[in-house]
Amino acid sequence: MGKSNLRFFFAGILSFAIWGFFSIPLRNLKAFPSQEILYYRIFTSLVFLWIAILVFRKKQIKKDLDYLSGLSRKDKRTVALQIAASTVLLTSNWYTYIYAVNNVSLQSAAFAYMVCPLITAFGGFVLLKEHLSRLKLISLAIALGSIILLAKGSFVEVMWSVSIASLYAFYLIIQRKMQNLDKLNVLATQIGLAVILMLPFYLFQHGGVPDSAWFWGNIIVVAVFFTIIPLFLSLYALIGIPSSTLGIIIYVNPIIAFNVAIFYFNEQVDSNKLLAYFLLLVSVIVFNWSIIKDILTFRKKNI
């Protein structure tokens, strides 16, 4: 990894470090229904994001519009389908994560982001025909064993974990294909489309806008500091570092999230879970061994 790529590397680390603490503001909103948190997270994110883009990023909008106008009808259709599919995946990921944190367990949400890079790799192997070495296939088998072991203790938690992980994994796979558009503009478009998708549900279930300052304070924190900023940082990181490198950085998230669950919220971890987590850790190390060696070698050269 060259020095020119360090800013992308640290952008990736920062994004997942921020997400590691996401459960704190979500738990502050536990009294509110998950879908209501989702609605106002999306609506508030849309307002802040488009204000930022229209004030500071008009050149990027023009550049993207010029790029899109030069595409063939087939390519335009492909981009539209990619944005639509990624929007559905991202919105579904947000809802399942919020529900898991407030109604299942913090550990199930954290476990999801331990499994996510492995599912991303498997999805890339199956859908994008990306090569996986024998060592990586072995690591995926170990991860499957970890998931099966955890399922024996709590099948419901595992299903939520795998669902959350799969939704975000396939979102990332689609993002890999969208390299020619500004990442923040893509995110703003996705959130705008998410508002259109969620609006009928919101209007159907509408029971009045919350008037709690506590609710709105936490929603703004969720929208700005746990949605727009980390999502942009993670998408920005993909510009300068391989998705495989981002795949190992993502583990900053569950490491912090597990610690928040156990030491801040006092969730219990039994021996079955500990063994499952250990197996998954082994799987992660085996899967990312070549990247770990590269990072350690880079560090030694610069000490």
Side-chain angles (χ1 to χ4, degrees):
M1 185 189 304
K3 289 186 177 180
S4 61
N5 287 335
L6 278 178
R7 68 180 185 273
F8 300 109
F9 183 75
F10 287 120
I13 288 179
L14 183 58
S15 68
F16 292 113
I18 292 170
W19 272 323
F21 295 96
F22 191 17
S23 58
I24 295 175
L26 284 184
R27 273 291 171 92
N28 290 342
L29 297 168
K30 189 175 181 178
F32 298 89
S34 298
Q35 65 271 20
E36 190 165 288
I37 299 171
L38 176 65
Y39 297 149
Y40 290 108
R41 177 190 186 183
I42 293 173
F43 299 160
T44 309
S45 296
L46 181 74
V47 172
F48 280 100
L49 188 52
W50 274 106
I51 288 174
I53 287 175
L54 293 174
V55 172
F56 299 109
R57 299 177 64 84
K58 291 180 181 177
K59 289 182 179 179
Q60 285 80 2
I61 293 176
K62 185 178 184 305
K63 184 179 177 182
D64 280 352
L65 290 174
D66 290 342
Y67 168 76
L68 290 171
S69 65
L71 294 178
S72 66
R73 182 175 296 180
K74 181 181 177 182
D75 288 337
K76 286 179 182 177
R77 191 183 303 117
T78 299
V79 171
L81 287 173
Q82 288 172 338
I83 290 177
S86 59
T87 299
V88 172
L89 290 168
L90 184 62
T91 306
S92 301
N93 169 264
W94 286 358
Y95 176 76
T96 52
Y97 184 86
I98 292 168
Y99 187 89
V101 166
N102 284 344
N103 299 280
V104 183
S105 75
L106 295 177
Q107 291 174 55
S108 66
F111 188 80
Y113 287 97
M114 289 286 281
V115 179
C116 179
L118 303 175
I119 295 177
T120 304
F122 184 73
F125 173 70
V126 173
L127 300 176
L128 304 180
K129 309 303 179 185
E130 295 180 347
H131 174 70
L132 285 180
S133 66
R134 183 178 297 179
L135 196 63
K136 290 188 175 184
L137 289 172
I138 291 171
S139 74
L140 292 177
I142 297 172
L144 180 61
S146 169
I147 293 170
I148 292 171
L149 180 63
L150 196 64
K152 289 183 177 179
S154 177
F155 183 76
V156 172
E157 284 194 17
V158 167
M159 286 300 97
W160 277 101
S161 295
V162 172
S163 297
I164 294 167
S166 298
L167 290 166
Y168 194 65
F170 287 106
Y171 169 75
L172 289 179
I173 289 171
I174 293 176
Q175 294 303 114
R176 289 182 192 174
K177 292 290 188 180
M178 301 174 65
Q179 294 294 327
N180 296 311
L181 293 168
D182 181 81
K183 298 299 183 183
L184 200 59
N185 289 344
V186 169
L187 178 59
T189 304
Q190 289 168 337
I191 293 178
L193 185 55
V195 168
I196 295 172
L197 292 174
M198 291 292 102
L199 203 54
F201 298 99
Y202 172 76
L203 294 174
F204 179 75
Q205 298 176 338
H206 184 56
V209 177
D211 57 4
S212 166
W214 175 253
F215 176 84
W216 284 108
N218 279 282
I219 282 292
I220 290 172
V221 168
V222 166
V224 177
F225 293 103
F226 290 96
T227 302
I228 296 172
I229 292 176
L231 264 176
F232 172 68
L233 287 171
S234 65
L235 295 176
Y236 174 76
L238 280 172
I239 296 172
I241 60 175
S243 56
S244 57
T245 303
L246 194 67
I248 191 170
I249 295 173
I250 199 174
Y251 296 111
V252 171
N253 176 341
I255 289 170
I256 294 174
F258 275 123
N259 279 281
V260 169
I262 295 166
F263 297 107
Y264 187 83
F265 289 108
N266 299 312
E267 284 198 358
Q268 300 300 311
V269 183
D270 57 35
S271 57
N272 188 70
K273 284 184 177 180
L274 282 174
L275 181 56
Y277 295 158
F278 175 74
L279 280 176
L280 189 59
L281 179 61
V282 171
S283 171
V284 166
I285 293 172
V286 171
F287 186 87
N288 295 287
W289 183 242
S290 62
I291 303 170
I292 293 170
K293 284 198 301 182
D294 287 344
I295 292 172
L296 292 175
T297 302
F298 174 77
R299 185 180 176 185
K300 286 178 181 177
K301 287 180 179 178
N302 288 274
I303 289 177

